[in-house]
Amino acid sequence: MEDFYMGKAIERIFLPLMRLQLPEVRDICMPAEGIFHNLILVSGCGRPIPDKRAKSCTPSWGLGQAMFSKCIVVVDEDVDVQNVSEVAWKALNNIDPERDIESV
């Protein structure tokens, strides 16, 4: 569990650096549920134009600690990514697997 607290520190330090390269990113969260490096929640990445969100957020997978993650969940900027329950509710109730899941 001590990894989680190191991950939270990395998350907060890494966010301003990520925003330098991807200014549309509003916030990120590496929750304990994802053992901090396997899951990253990202808010505010991209535009509301279909297919643009995945293209604009794909570079985040290669930035710093994000390159170790196995799953990145991207939500609208009005979703609080620090609240994992809210992210799960929004993502799981609004997902269209054919349109919204991208494998890299």
Side-chain angles (χ1 to χ4, degrees):
M1 198 60 193
E2 65 276 358
D3 283 358
F4 169 70
Y5 297 105
M6 292 187 309
K8 269 298 173 191
I10 290 169
E11 166 192 311
R12 295 292 94 194
I13 293 167
F14 181 57
L15 178 60
L17 300 173
M18 180 184 252
R19 290 189 72 192
L20 285 174
Q21 293 186 352
L22 297 169
E24 53 278 332
V25 170
R26 294 291 159 239
D27 197 8
I28 62 171
C29 178
M30 294 188 246
E33 293 81 355
I35 311 170
F36 97 80
H37 62 275
N38 289 325
L39 171 66
I40 296 180
L41 308 176
V42 180
S43 72
C45 194
R47 300 153 201 85
I49 302 168
D51 198 39
K52 293 288 183 185
R53 183 162 309 182
K55 286 185 173 88
S56 66
C57 245
T58 301
S60 68
W61 225 317
L63 297 174
Q65 285 298 116
M67 73 177 126
F68 300 118
S69 70
K70 299 188 177 33
C71 181
I72 296 180
V73 176
V74 180
V75 293
D76 293 332
E77 64 186 44
D78 65 330
V79 179
D80 177 16
V81 292
Q82 302 301 323
N83 183 345
V84 178
S85 297
E86 180 183 354
V87 172
W89 178 259
K90 294 279 187 170
L92 296 174
N93 282 300
N94 295 300
I95 194 168
D96 175 5
E98 287 186 15
R99 180 194 68 209
D100 298 331
I101 296 178
E102 183 172 323
S103 175
V104 196

